[in-house]
Amino acid sequence: MKHYSFSMIPIPPFSLELTAGYQTYFQGEVGADVFKGKVYYRLQELDGRLFLLSVRETGNVEVPQLEVTLNGEEFSESDAEQARRTVTHILATDIDLSQFYKLSSADPILTSFIKRFRGLHPPRMPTIFEGMIFAVAGQQISSTVARLIRTLIVKRYGSSIRLNEHVYYGFPSPQQILDTGINGLLEIKLSRRKAEYILGIASRAARGELELNIFKSLSDEEILETLDSLHGVGRWSAEWVLLRAMGRLNVFPAGDLALRATVSNYYFGGRKLSEEEARSFAERWSPFKTLATSYLFAGRRLSV
DNA sequence: AGCCAGGCTCTCG
DNA sequence: CGAGAGCATGGC
């Protein structure tokens, strides 16, 4: 296997540990994203060929610099540029947090999380497909079960490579999901209905209808409407994709039970909030509702 | 044992 | 329209 390295400068402040940790938090013991020994790994297809991307911090939070290494069998000229774009997208190194930090100085709760999680960028999943499968797999069930199922999806149906005694798994392609069929999906503890939704999403993705660039010029509301029309994708899943795959910065998934509980704990002394109450309360964080959401979730993890 | 968990669709009134 | 059932599984 050959390798190639280059460096990248994220917009400061940037913490690889916090950002990669946020990305892997939703996954189980085996995931398409791995963070261990201070290195972020992802097995990723670029231009039809598999590469293992490894990212390590060679600077610090205030003056960040990343070293990216590609391991693969066969290289072409554009690989480095594609890898750079992919890492930029996943680790959100292009997001400038300073306006959000400034705007939040009037909010003591967010301010304390910002101090604690300084440099946390809102990571993105590489494709809408991956975000949707994650969302559907996690609908309604506890995060424990969601992680278990996500592990099985990746471990059973993704590609894998072995490097230095470790096995790395990639997120399955739409075709790999289609190939497993309904029975393959039932084996990994998905309900029959969710399995059908996932196959439907996979066939749309396989036809190229879920490419990120298709949605680039659309507004958040237009995208929500489009995604909502997919079978198995409601408001919660659509917002999750908007936030976690497309990287839109002003999304607050008020339907999310855990997010509502977090807002309720920190801002309402535990009083339960309706979805609409939570949604309108979150307007105070506009136009950075996504960032507020990320920092609230990060804070919640300290106490749960 | 039974209810809830980081929802969604379908049916029925 | 709104309300209610059903779904899979693990944890408590």
Side-chain angles (χ1 to χ4, degrees), chain A residues 2 4 46-49 51 70 72-83:
Chain A
K2 290 182 268 189
Y4 175 81
L46 302 175
D47 228 3
R49 286 158 294 130
F51 293 94
L70 280 93
E73 298 293 351
E74 193 193 333
F75 283 76
S76 73
E77 287 205 359
S78 61
D79 292 336
E81 195 43 45
Q82 281 223 49

Side-chain angles (χ1 to χ4, degrees), chain A residues 100 103 249-251 281-290 292:
Chain A
F100 167 63
L103 202 78
L249 288 180
N250 202 25
V251 185
F281 182 76
E283 278 310 311
R284 66 180 50 208
W285 298 312
S286 195
F288 301 115
K289 286 184 277 186
T290 292

Side-chain angles (χ1 to χ4, degrees), chain A residues 1-7 51-54 67-72 75-77 79-81 83-84:
Chain A
M1 192 157 339
K2 290 182 268 189
H3 61 88
Y4 175 81
S5 295
F6 59 89
S7 69
F51 293 94
L52 182 68
L53 302 175
S54 319
E67 184 189 68
V68 180
T69 302
L70 280 93
N71 281 277
F75 283 76
S76 73
E77 287 205 359
D79 292 336
E81 195 43 45
R84 183 185 298 275

